Amino acid sequence: MSEYAVDHAAAFEVADDLDAINRLYREKHWSDGLPIVPPTAARIDRMLSHSLRARHDIVANVAPGFGAATVERIAINAVMAGCDPEYLPVLIAATEAVADPEFNLQGIQATTNPVAVWLVLNGPVSRKLQVNATFNCIGQGSWANATLGRAMRLILQNIGGAQPGEMDRATHGQPGKFTFCCAENEESHPWQPLHVERGYAATDSTVTVVGAEGTMNMNTHAKYADELARVIAETMVHPPSNEYVHGGEPWFILGSEHAEIFRREGWDKARVKRELWERSKMAVKHLSAKEIDRARASRTSELGELSEDTLLPISPAAEDVQLIVAGGPGTHSVYVPCFGNSRAVTRRIEGYRD
Amino acid sequence: MCSTAFQTLGRAQARALGNSALPIAVIPHPFGGRSREDVRKLAEQCIDDVVKLLTGEKT
């Protein structure tokens, strides 16, 4: 049953002057540092017309401030980010997803780690909304990618209360904290797409939230599955990693040319995951002494006593390695190391209207 | 209980959760780079205050 918020978003009057409005948002720390689209009553209503849920319905309480993310408040932040009104159901699903305890939003929002929330869209809605899954899909230039990711950040900051330097304690942060969103390229895909792998129908539309520490490009002209797996696995191995310390969930955006190499040699997705997991094991001795202590605290129950020569897997199981296929033509794939103490969460995008 | 660098977070979170008067034990930052010996000294300095916080005794 839905829960309704009793305190509604405050309305205020301000001169009809974009510069003055942005000065106000800047002073109040309601922006991400870039100018916003003023969330006027008319724009909010237009956005809300694309939700089947009631205006004051609480979608989730967003850590660490535990502000009530009502449909209205999500819509306000979506307007500010420049979203088209049709995008609202995606953000409602994404807000539900980040609040799932598996995601550990409290940790993600308040940590010193640079972790950003990456949105991955699957299914027909991502194509209808033209969420880019090909050229430059995590770069600039696509309205849906740019504004959806930005709206997610504004929701996390304004409703969740994660203001940098206050409750957001990121030491450096990363550019992905402005916006980080793409779709999976389901048309140029040798295996099941992500949402089908996670139990949804191919005709469902979903958003998956990932606690992404950054992106590491891998440009390799490797021609064979074995050498491609080897160089990707060697990229994963880095001692100052939350994932090796805690047992994480590393993500990959495979370019379709690299995915095709695996397909051509008959490697299915499970095989790729297993090979990367096995080949990226790292001897404990590569960690600093402090990290060895932390890994012992985190992983002894999973792996038993850790000696200097114990081979640490990056995640508890090979299935924890996550792959999507996206990007344009080229010999590139992207390693997305993750926060470690988090698991990606997928939600169906409900109530999308054509 | 937190180090000085996280005091703002602790205070803001206590406020957000409706307990702005929550007592918080604060130790000097940075913490991660200290030797075990230094950490022990710090722990000895603040243990009485932490016990008082946990037992509800006034510090």
Side-chain angles (χ1 to χ4, degrees):
Chain A
M1 209 173 113
S2 293
E3 191 189 341
Y4 294 96
V6 287
D7 59 323
H8 301 162
F12 54 90
E13 290 204 17
V14 56
D16 187 12
D17 172 351
L18 188 59
D19 292 341
I21 294 167
N22 269 300
R23 268 198 304 278
L24 174 72
Y25 275 69
R26 187 171 169 174
E27 281 162 17
K28 298 278 190 188
H29 301 280
W30 290 339
S31 169
D32 51 6
L34 293 169
I36 54 95
V37 175
T40 59
R43 287 197 182 102
I44 296 164
D45 287 345
R46 203 154 52 236
M47 183 72 68
L48 286 169
S49 72
H50 285 268
S51 169
L52 298 175
R53 295 179 68 162
R55 186 180 192 116
H56 301 301
D57 191 359
I58 298 175
V59 173
N61 290 294
V62 183
F66 296 97
T70 59
V71 175
E72 180 186 49
R73 290 192 179 111
I74 293 170
I76 291 168
N77 285 281
V79 170
M80 287 166 61
C83 288
D84 286 352
E86 296 88 330
Y87 302 173
L88 183 59
V90 177
L91 293 167
I92 291 172
T95 304
E96 268 180 7
V98 294
D100 186 306
E102 280 282 290
F103 191 61
N104 184 18
L105 187 61
Q106 170 73 41
I108 282 175
Q109 289 263 70
T111 181
T112 51
N113 191 279
V115 55
V117 175
W118 172 31
L119 307 181
V120 180
L121 276 82
N122 280 93
V125 165
S126 74
R127 292 183 285 278
K128 274 185 190 137
L129 300 180
Q130 295 182 297
V131 184
N132 184 7
T134 61
F135 293 99
N136 211 38
C137 62
I138 54 170
Q140 86 291 2
S142 301
W143 201 273
N145 299 41
T147 61
L148 278 167
R150 185 185 186 200
M152 183 79 257
R153 171 53 48 196
L154 290 174
I155 289 165
L156 294 169
Q157 177 187 289
N158 292 335
I159 306 178
Q163 283 287 342
E166 292 178 22
M167 288 204 271
D168 178 342
R169 304 299 301 170
T171 306
H172 300 97
Q174 56 152 312
K177 289 183 80 170
F178 279 100
T179 183
F180 197 172
C181 171
C182 68
E184 185 166 27
N185 187 350
E186 294 170 29
E187 274 134 38
S188 179
H189 202 305
W191 311 299
Q192 281 185 332
L194 180 71
H195 65 316
V196 176
E197 181 191 348
R198 294 168 88 90
Y200 294 90
T203 50
D204 282 338
S205 294
T206 62
V207 59
T208 301
V209 295
V210 181
E213 201 179 66
T215 59
M216 174 75 193
N217 190 65
M218 300 177 290
N219 178 17
T220 171
H221 293 217
K223 294 291 176 226
Y224 304 103
D226 183 71
E227 60 174 354
L228 181 56
R230 176 174 62 78
V231 295
I232 293 177
E234 287 181 13
T235 306
M236 296 160 75
V237 177
H238 64 293
S241 154
N242 262 18
E243 299 200 286
Y244 284 97
V245 167
H246 298 299
E249 189 191 58
W251 279 72
F252 292 88
I253 309 174
L254 287 184
S256 49
E257 291 183 19
H258 286 163
E260 173 58 18
I261 290 170
F262 289 129
R263 186 206 61 79
R264 207 169 52 214
E265 294 189 37
W267 289 29
D268 61 10
K269 202 195 263 187
R271 167 97 189 262
V272 177
K273 289 180 175 206
R274 195 168 62 250
E275 297 279 354
L276 295 180
W277 187 75
E278 285 289 350
R279 294 168 189 230
S280 63
K281 286 180 180 171
M282 175 172 62
V284 165
K285 63 183 164 214
H286 291 288
L287 301 178
S288 71
K290 282 274 185 182
E291 265 62 59
I292 294 175
D293 285 347
R294 293 170 66 215
R296 283 187 173 131
S298 266
R299 304 194 71 180
T300 299
S301 60
E302 171 201 343
L303 299 168
E305 206 50 52
L306 301 184
S307 76
E308 289 215 325
D309 295 318
T310 304
L311 290 176
L312 274 182
I314 192 164
S315 54
E319 297 73 40
D320 298 320
V321 176
Q322 305 292 334
L323 310 171
I324 65 163
V325 176
T331 54
H332 299 261
S333 288
V334 183
Y335 172 38
V336 184
C338 287
F339 178 51
N341 286 319
S342 171
R343 290 295 177 272
V345 174
T346 302
R347 284 285 181 279
R348 187 185 282 113
I349 299 166
E350 308 273 12
Y352 179 77
R353 289 173 174 168
D354 284 324
Chain B
M1 181 169 175
C2 63
S3 67
T4 42
F6 290 87
Q7 200 172 357
T8 317
L9 166 65
R11 197 45 65 210
Q13 184 124 42
R15 218 171 25 246
L17 294 170
N19 190 359
S20 49
L22 181 78
I24 299 175
V26 181
I27 54 169
H29 195 89
F31 188 71
R34 289 178 193 270
S35 67
R36 281 181 179 275
E37 209 170 85
D38 282 352
V39 171
R40 178 166 287 282
K41 274 187 206 150
L42 269 178
E44 280 163 3
Q45 281 166 22
C46 66
I47 187 70
D48 289 343
D49 285 346
V50 173
V51 170
K52 283 177 191 163
L53 288 180
L54 289 172
T55 56
E57 231 182 288
K58 293 242 185 293
T59 52

